[in-house]
Amino acid sequence: MKKLSKVQIKQQAAVMAAVEELEEKAFAELTDVEQCWFSMEHDAFPGSLLVRVQFKTQQAVDEAQDNLLLWQKRLAGLLLKKGILIKNMRNHLVFTVLSPDD
């Protein structure tokens, strides 16, 4: 695995901070949230960023789906505070039951 540059390390730290803040809000406002996690390709950042809010059951995902746009906007706002501009927020946050190991 290629060593990350200082800029990439800063980007990853900024995304991690935003996702952790989003996770805290999700635990407080949504039911059956398991965790939030993200993946990204540093060479294609920020376009490759994908944040997932993982739920314990598919029913919880279905119930939360109506609020997906709100959560996408929240993520875009949190990232913007960290200096990361997301052009199309709908491509960067999903609700799922899959874990990082799946």
Side-chain angles (χ1 to χ4, degrees):
M1 185 170 162
K2 185 177 152 188
K3 187 175 177 182
L4 299 179
S5 70
K6 288 181 180 182
V7 171
Q8 291 170 331
I9 291 169
K10 286 176 97 173
Q11 288 171 338
Q12 189 165 340
V15 170
M16 179 66 84
V19 170
E20 286 175 350
E21 193 172 334
L22 185 77
E23 183 178 49
E24 288 176 20
K25 290 181 182 184
F27 280 133
E29 297 179 29
L30 299 171
T31 57
D32 285 341
V33 173
E34 183 82 24
Q35 66 179 338
C36 293
W37 53 283
F38 70 94
S39 61
M40 64 188 212
E41 306 253 341
H42 292 284
D43 297 338
F45 183 78
S48 65
L49 176 65
L50 181 57
V51 177
R52 296 166 184 91
V53 178
Q54 179 186 342
F55 289 85
K56 295 175 184 174
T57 65
Q58 184 61 45
Q59 181 181 356
V61 171
D62 296 340
E63 291 171 4
Q65 204 66 34
D66 292 339
N67 296 320
L68 181 59
L69 183 59
L70 170 70
W71 287 91
Q72 290 167 335
K73 288 179 181 180
R74 285 181 177 178
L75 174 63
L78 291 169
L79 290 170
L80 188 59
K81 286 181 183 178
K82 303 290 182 189
I84 300 169
L85 178 63
I86 299 294
K87 292 183 180 179
N88 188 355
M89 65 194 155
R90 294 178 184 191
N91 296 335
H92 300 284
L93 177 76
V94 295
F95 292 159
T96 185
V97 293
L98 299 176
S99 73
D101 300 327
D102 291 340

